[in-house]
Amino acid sequence: TAYHTSVLVNGEEFFFSDSGIFNDRLLTSHQGQPSERVELGWSTKTGAQLMRALAPHFRPGSYDLVRKNCNSFSDCALYYLLRTRLEGRFSALERLGQRASTDMLQRFTKGMYVPNQEAASFKTADVIAALDRLGDADPGISEAGFTVASRAALCVGARVTVVGLKNAASLNGQGAHIVRFNAVNGRWEARVNASGEVKAF
C-alpha cells in the first residue's frame, strides 16, 4: 500500500511536494480528509522552526517519487519535532522501490516514475545527522543565509496563471484553476480554462 503523509503542528499541516515544503490549515494535501490520523505527541518546537530546519534539505524541484517524497519529509519532520521516526509501514513501498531498477519502476508506475537527479544523492540519514548537530537550537537563518518564509499551499479552487513551462510552453500565460493535489507524484493538478484539460504542474 502506498501512503501520503504530512505532519500537523498546532493544527497546521506541513507537507513536501515538487514545489517544496508547504503549509496550511485545510489539510490540502489530503483533500481535507486524511484517511488516518496518528497522534504522536507534543513538541516545544514550532511550525516556523520546522520550516527553517528542513527547508535547506527539501527544496523546490527536489521531489522524487521513490527517493525523496512526502514520507521522507514526514520522517525528518517527526525526528526534528519529537526525536521519533515515521512508522515503517508508511514508507515500505519506497524502500521496495529503492531496491528496484528504474526500468521496473517505469513498468510498475506505467511510465509515471522519472528519476529526479536533484534527489539522486538524498539520504534521510544525512538529514537526521544534520538535525542531531542542530540539537535544540533554533535554526534561525537557513544554511543559504536567508530566513525561510512559510508559504501557504495552493488549494482546490485557487485560480492560477501558468508560467515557466518548457515542455508545454504553449500553456504559459493561460489561466487555470487547481482541482487537486496528487500525492502520488507530488504535483498540483489544474484545469486549463481555455481547453478544459487537466494538467499536472
Side-chain angles (χ1 to χ4, degrees):
T1 302
Y3 287 95
H4 166 67
T5 61
S6 62
V7 175
L8 285 175
V9 179
N10 197 26
E12 188 172 18
E13 178 189 24
F14 291 85
F15 63 97
F16 178 62
S17 76
D18 192 51
S19 300
I21 302 172
F22 278 99
N23 64 300
D24 73 11
R25 293 190 174 274
L26 302 174
L27 297 173
T28 300
S29 78
H30 299 275
Q31 284 78 48
Q33 298 182 3
S35 59
E36 182 178 355
R37 272 182 138 164
V38 180
E39 179 89 25
L40 294 173
W42 299 93
S43 177
T44 59
K45 297 179 175 116
T46 67
Q49 289 172 313
L50 173 66
M51 288 284 290
R52 290 192 300 267
L54 292 184
H57 307 285
F58 291 91
R59 297 184 187 280
S62 67
Y63 181 95
D64 184 281
L65 183 64
V66 174
R67 295 181 282 193
K68 185 179 182 184
N69 59 28
C70 60
N71 299 322
S72 311
F73 170 79
S74 293
D75 189 18
C76 294
L78 290 174
Y79 189 78
Y80 175 72
L81 294 166
L82 300 168
R83 290 301 194 251
T84 191
R85 302 293 298 272
L86 184 67
E87 198 177 318
R89 69 184 170 108
F90 293 110
S91 57
L93 199 58
E94 291 97 304
R95 286 193 310 276
L96 194 64
Q98 288 168 356
R99 288 180 281 210
S101 69
T102 301
D103 183 54
M104 181 184 284
L105 289 169
Q106 287 286 321
R107 285 193 309 249
F108 181 73
T109 63
K110 297 180 180 154
M112 224 168 119
Y113 177 69
V114 177
N116 182 350
Q117 291 310 306
E118 293 292 319
S121 64
F122 177 81
K123 291 182 178 61
T124 302
D126 293 345
V127 179
I128 298 299
L131 295 174
D132 280 338
R133 287 190 299 277
L134 180 63
D136 287 329
D138 186 334
I141 305 295
S142 76
E143 288 176 7
F146 57 90
T147 302
V148 177
S150 168
R151 297 188 307 169
L154 294 170
C155 62
V156 173
R159 290 188 230 182
V160 297
T161 301
V162 179
V163 295
L165 297 181
K166 292 183 176 123
N167 292 337
S170 63
L171 295 175
N172 288 332
Q174 293 195 34
H177 63 276
I178 303 296
V179 292
R180 75 184 200 112
F181 176 76
N182 184 333
V184 173
N185 63 14
R187 294 181 180 234
W188 291 95
E189 295 179 358
R191 185 174 309 281
V192 179
N193 295 341
S195 67
E197 64 185 321
V198 174
K199 294 286 192 179
F201 297 97

